[in-house]
Amino acid sequence: VSGSWDNTVRVWSLASGEQVRRSNGHTNAVDAVAVSPDGQHVVSGSWDTTVCVLSLARRQQVRQLNGHIRAVLTVAVTPCSQHVVSGGNDRTVRVWSLASGEELRRFVGHALEVRCATVTPDGQHVVIAIEDKTLRVLSLASGKEVRRFEGHAHAVQCAAITPDGEHVVSGGHGRVLRMWSLANGEEVRQLWDHFQEVWSVAVSLCGEHIASADEGCMVLAWSTPRGLAR
């Protein structure tokens, strides 16, 4: 699934490379997409300030989530496929019901824009990356911040959580990947090799590999440092 500055969301066949779906629900650039874990929906966030929900089975947009007042830069779906998390230029993080489109919770008070949001495997917390150089762990149940990771010297652009829910990997303008303990917020590793800003990071389902991409179009694959993979 891909989103583009041509305002579209497209679904492609992995086997053939052919486009199998196209959604034109946004009126501005699409900066974020996520697939629900049950494989039923695609969620997208756009510079038009909306979050759209596309049904893969019905091949059409089924819902539009309105509330953000500036560009939506990140979207995620909880492991239960019942809730959507979004964040962006309005410096808020919002939690929505995927079924009804109702806004259920709003996290405010961030000094700068929210660049990335990712949900922990147990569905209890969301980790957000912010332009103020921090990562924050928010409780989806209480609406409170429970932990803050500080150490990046520049804006944080991306974050990913290991499948066991024990570590977070983050990157940004500082060209370094940092690995953190979710339990206590301590930095446990640094990975250097990028020459430009890191824009995206992902962890394999087995937890043994990390992939990261930077502004210079370089994609690096890493083996998870010994002691972090199980």
Side-chain angles (χ1 to χ4, degrees), residues 28 44 137 163 190 197:
N28 207 332
S44 55
V137 182
Q190 292 186 8
E197 300 171 4

Side-chain angles (χ1 to χ4, degrees), residues 130-201:
I130 308 180
E131 286 273 318
D132 68 0
K133 311 174 189 177
T134 67
L135 289 165
R136 305 185 188 196
V137 182
L138 311 175
S139 168
L140 291 174
S142 70
K144 296 181 180 180
E145 179 181 320
V146 297
R147 193 162 291 108
R148 186 177 300 193
F149 304 156
E150 299 178 318
H152 280 282
H154 305 277
V156 188
Q157 296 288 334
C158 55
I161 301 171
T162 55
D164 59 12
E166 294 186 1
H167 297 91
V168 180
V169 186
S170 59
H173 289 192
R175 300 178 293 179
V176 58
L177 290 175
R178 298 175 187 263
M179 304 189 71
W180 314 81
S181 166
L182 254 179
N184 57 31
E186 292 183 359
E187 183 179 313
V188 295
R189 291 286 193 286
Q190 292 186 8
L191 301 175
W192 294 82
D193 258 344
H194 282 286
F195 297 102
Q196 297 195 44
E197 300 171 4
V198 181
W199 285 97
S200 181
V201 64

Side-chain angles (χ1 to χ4, degrees), residues 3-16:
S4 170
W5 279 57
D6 67 3
N7 307 350
T8 68
V9 174
R10 301 173 190 244
V11 183
W12 311 82
S13 166
L14 274 174
S16 67

Side-chain angles (χ1 to χ4, degrees), residues 55-114:
S55 169
L56 291 175
R58 295 165 60 181
R59 303 191 179 193
Q60 64 184 20
Q61 181 177 310
V62 294
R63 200 155 289 108
Q64 186 176 83
L65 313 181
N66 299 294
H68 284 285
I69 59 174
R70 297 185 68 185
V72 180
L73 304 178
T74 180
V75 292
V77 184
T78 55
C80 63
S81 297
Q82 295 181 5
H83 302 100
V84 175
V85 181
S86 60
N89 278 351
D90 64 4
R91 306 177 184 180
T92 70
V93 175
R94 301 172 191 241
V95 182
W96 316 79
S97 165
L98 194 152
S100 69
E102 178 187 0
E103 183 180 320
L104 304 175
R105 191 174 298 284
R106 187 183 305 181
F107 300 89
V108 299
H110 308 300
L112 293 172
E113 64 188 43
V114 179

Side-chain angles (χ1 to χ4, degrees), residues 202-223:
V203 182
S204 63
L205 292 177
C206 64
E208 296 181 356
H209 300 95
I210 298 166
S212 54
D214 66 26
E215 190 178 28
C217 302
M218 177 184 286
V219 177
L220 298 179
W222 315 77
S223 293

